[in-house]
Amino acid sequence: MRYNTSFAMIALALSLAGCAAGTSIGRVQVARLEKGISVSATDKIFDDSKMWRSENVEVQGTRYLFRHYELSEPGRSTSSTYCRKPGECVVNVIDTVVQSPFVLVFVGDEPQLRAWGKLSKLSLSTDPAIVAALPKIKSSSEAWVNERRSHMPFPSGL
């Protein structure tokens, strides 16, 4: 019985990992981004990741393209030990993943990547182009979060 339970947990973990593989971006992909690269170059970096929202806007005569993704980052790990009797203990380790909104900001008529990150990071930018576009980036991000909430299988807050 104990082996069947362990096998079921491993199968569940692998299937969940498989589901996440085609949706979120990770640190490895983010590390490959470079300022000035094209939209098609980012598509190659984020090859199987799902872009949740794309929006073209104009701010003070400059064209912007915002592309929204979901960033997967390691979260907390918790563990617990269950013992039926001395010497028969099982340790369960649960690793969590934190999903965060992540924005790529392209600028220009032939869009080039100017900035990227979570909204909290972009809000600290001193780049005049990003500072000018920040209100639009924030409203686009809010729309993205609301859109994502509408696709959640459970009400938010559960």
Side-chain angles (χ1 to χ4, degrees):
M1 177 81 170
R2 185 169 64 184
Y3 293 111
N4 289 342
T5 305
S6 297
F7 178 74
M9 292 302 288
I10 291 169
L12 176 63
L14 290 173
S15 66
L16 290 175
C19 290
T23 58
S24 301
I25 59 173
R27 290 181 178 179
V28 172
Q29 291 163 305
V30 171
R32 294 177 54 202
L33 294 173
E34 296 177 22
K35 193 172 182 176
I37 63 175
S38 67
V39 172
S40 62
T42 60
D43 287 344
K44 288 177 185 170
I45 292 170
F46 294 167
D47 60 353
D48 65 346
S49 302
K50 182 173 183 177
M51 177 180 46
W52 287 101
R53 182 179 176 82
S54 180
E55 184 174 7
N56 288 295
V57 299
E58 190 168 313
V59 178
Q60 299 173 355
T62 302
R63 298 183 80 176
Y64 290 84
L65 168 63
F66 307 141
R67 295 181 88 182
H68 298 270
Y69 293 86
E70 196 168 62
L71 175 67
S72 292
E73 299 179 286
R76 283 185 143 167
S77 291
T78 58
S79 65
S80 55
T81 305
Y82 298 100
C83 298
R84 288 190 180 172
K85 52 185 166 177
E88 281 191 30
C89 297
V90 175
V91 177
N92 290 323
V93 178
I94 300 171
D95 294 322
T96 59
V97 176
V98 177
Q99 307 282 35
S100 304
F102 190 87
V103 185
L104 301 182
V105 181
F106 296 87
V107 179
D109 292 330
E110 293 187 27
Q112 293 185 328
L113 187 61
R114 184 71 165 257
W116 58 91
K118 293 189 249 183
L119 193 55
S120 58
K121 179 188 171 208
L122 293 173
S123 296
L124 301 174
S125 179
T126 57
D127 181 333
I130 302 306
V131 172
L134 200 54
K136 294 277 189 181
I137 296 170
K138 286 180 179 179
S139 65
S140 182
S141 291
E142 287 171 11
W144 177 83
V145 168
N146 291 333
E147 206 173 284
R148 290 286 290 136
R149 279 194 187 128
S150 70
H151 291 90
M152 292 176 78
F154 304 106
S156 59
L158 284 183

